[in-house]
Amino acid sequence: MPVWCCRCSLAGHFRNYNDTEAEGEIFNSLVQYFGDNLGQKVKAMPLVEETSLLEDSSVPLPVVIIGNGPSGICLSYMLSGYRPYLSSEAMHPNPVLHSKLEEARHLSIVDQDLEYLSEGLEGRSSNPVAVLFDTLIHPDADFGYDYPSVLHWKLEKHHYIPHLVLGKGPPGGAWHNMEGCMLTISFGNWMELPGLKFRDWISSTRRNLKGDRVIPEEIARYYKHYVKVMGLQKNFRENTYITSVSRLYRDQDDSDSQERDVSTKHLQIDKSKFIKRIWEIRGYQQRADGSHIPFCLFAENVALATGTLDSPAHLEIEGEDFPFVLHSMPEFGAAVNKGKLCGKVDPVLIVGSGLTAADAVLCAYNNNIPVIHVFRRRVTDPSLIFKQLPKKLYPEYHKVYHMMCTQSYSTDSDLLSDYTSFPEHHVLSFTSDMKCILQSVSGLKKVFKLSAAVVLIGSHPNLSFLKEQGCYLGHNSSQPITCKGNPVEIDAYTYECVKEANLFALGPLVGDNFVRFLKGGALGVTRCLATRQKKRQHLFVERGGGDGIA
C-alpha cells in the first residue's frame, strides 16, 4: 500500500533558506523517520520552484507546532536534536534527585524515566515534569537561590524529528505585542531558553543592567534572536493563521480508499470500521501586501503551543461593547500615549485584581489619571497574587496593593483624587453616556461617570480551529479552555491530550503560565515522540523494511 500520494516536493516545506546541506539533513531525517520505502518514493519526485513558504503537500510531517512563543520555540529546540545531560561537575542541592540523576548519568534526560525523576518534587506548577525540569535548570529558585543549572546541552543531529512551527508573527509570540514600558514579573534569567543565557545576551545589547527584571520588548528580541542563533529558522513560518485542524480517517476495509473527514457522530455509530490516520492543518499565510495564500499540511502529531492571550475575557454585561470600554493593556497604553485621557476630570475604571490590572493602575497613576479600581475579592484574600511577591523585588506591585488596602471607597466620603479601590464589588452595566453601575457584595449600587473603562480579568486562547473551540479537551468540556480554571487535560508525563491521541498541549494551555515551567512541556512531548520513533524504527527493522509506515 502506498504511503501517500504526493502532489509536490517534500523539500518544498523547507525552501525559504539557502542551505542545501541543511535541506539534505531534513530530508535524511524524514527518510530515517519514515523508512527507506518513503525515501525512494520522495527521491523520485522532481524539485519544484515555489512561490510560497507553505505549499500544499500530501507528505505528512511528523510534527506541526501551532504557536511560536517560548513553548513552541523550546519544543523546536529539543525536536531539533538538542539533548540535556547532567553536567560532569554538577551537584544538585536535592540529594535524592541527585542520586537518581547519577544512576543514569550517561543518558540524556529525554531518555530517562520522567515519572521516576519527578517523584517527590514540589513546585509552583501542577505538572510534575515542569517542576522537574525547572529544578534542574533553576535549583531551589523558589527559596531565593541563584544556583547554576545542573544540565549541559549537546546537539545530536540523529535525534532530529522533522517539524514545522507556525506563528502569526515573528518568533516570540505574544511577547511582541505586550506593553513595552512594564517590567516582567519574572527575573530575566527565568525567561531564558536552554543553551543561551539571557544575562549574556542582554549584556551584549545594553550597557547598564539595573536589577534582574526586564521589559517585554527585550524578552521578545531575545526569543527572536534565539531562533536564529540556535539554527532553528528552517522550522519556523511566520504570518501564518490556522483556520482548521481536523482528523482524517481511512476506511479499514478499503486499503485504497482516500482519507476523509468523519464526524464524531458517525464514529460513535460504527467507530470500529475506521482507523485514525493523520491531522489535516488548514490555514493561510499573509503576505506583505496583505494578500492571503492558503495552505494545507498533514501531520502525524500536532502540538498546541498557542498561549492564552488571544481573546481577552469579558464581563458579559450590558454596554460592554461601547467604544470607551477597553479589554487589553496595549489598548489602554495606546490611549494614554496619545493623550486621550490626560487632563480628564472623570476617572478611568479598571476592573481586575491581577498583575495586568495593577499595570494599568500604575500606568494611569504615573500619568495623573484618576482611577476607580473594582475587584470582587477581599483585600485580605490569600490568593491575591500580591501576597506571593516579595516586597523588595516587586515594590511597584506592592505600592498598588497598599493603595488597594488603604484607599478603599467609603459611603461617607467622595472618590479620592488619584485612586479609589472598590473591594468586593462588580460592574453591573455600562451606559451610552459613559457611566458605570457598580454593586457591592451587600447589594448597594453606585453610579459613576467615566473617561474610559479597562476590563482586565484574564484571557482565553483562540482554539477556533478545533472542533467545539477546543472545549472538549479541557477538564470541564462544557467550559472554554483557560489557564487556571479549565486547562487542557493532558497525560502528566507526555503532555498528550487525554481526549485526543497524537495531539499535545503545553505552556499556558495546561496551566504553566510562567516561562520557567513551560520548558517542562517541551521535555515531556520530546520524550514521548522520541520513544515512539524508536519503537517505529524497531518495528520497521523487524518487518524487514516492509511496505509503508508501520
Side-chain angles (χ1 to χ4, degrees), residues 71-91:
S71 295
I73 295 172
C74 192
L75 180 54
S76 176
Y77 176 79
M78 298 189 71
L79 293 180
S80 295
Y82 287 94
R83 290 292 184 265
Y85 288 83
L86 181 66
S87 298
S88 58
E89 303 295 326
M91 178 64 71

Side-chain angles (χ1 to χ4, degrees), residues 50-72:
E50 295 178 21
T51 58
S52 168
L53 300 182
L54 282 166
E55 185 154 329
D56 287 5
S57 174
S58 291
V59 178
L61 281 164
V63 187
V64 167
I65 303 168
I66 300 177
N68 64 353
S71 295

Side-chain angles (χ1 to χ4, degrees), residues 203-231:
S203 64
S204 68
T205 61
R206 60 182 170 105
R207 295 181 180 178
N208 298 322
L209 298 177
K210 296 180 179 180
D212 290 319
R213 293 168 63 203
V214 292
I215 61 175
E217 180 185 356
E218 291 172 321
I219 297 296
R221 288 193 289 113
Y222 165 80
Y223 291 144
K224 188 175 181 180
H225 177 76
Y226 180 93
V227 168
K228 181 179 180 181
V229 75
M230 292 299 172

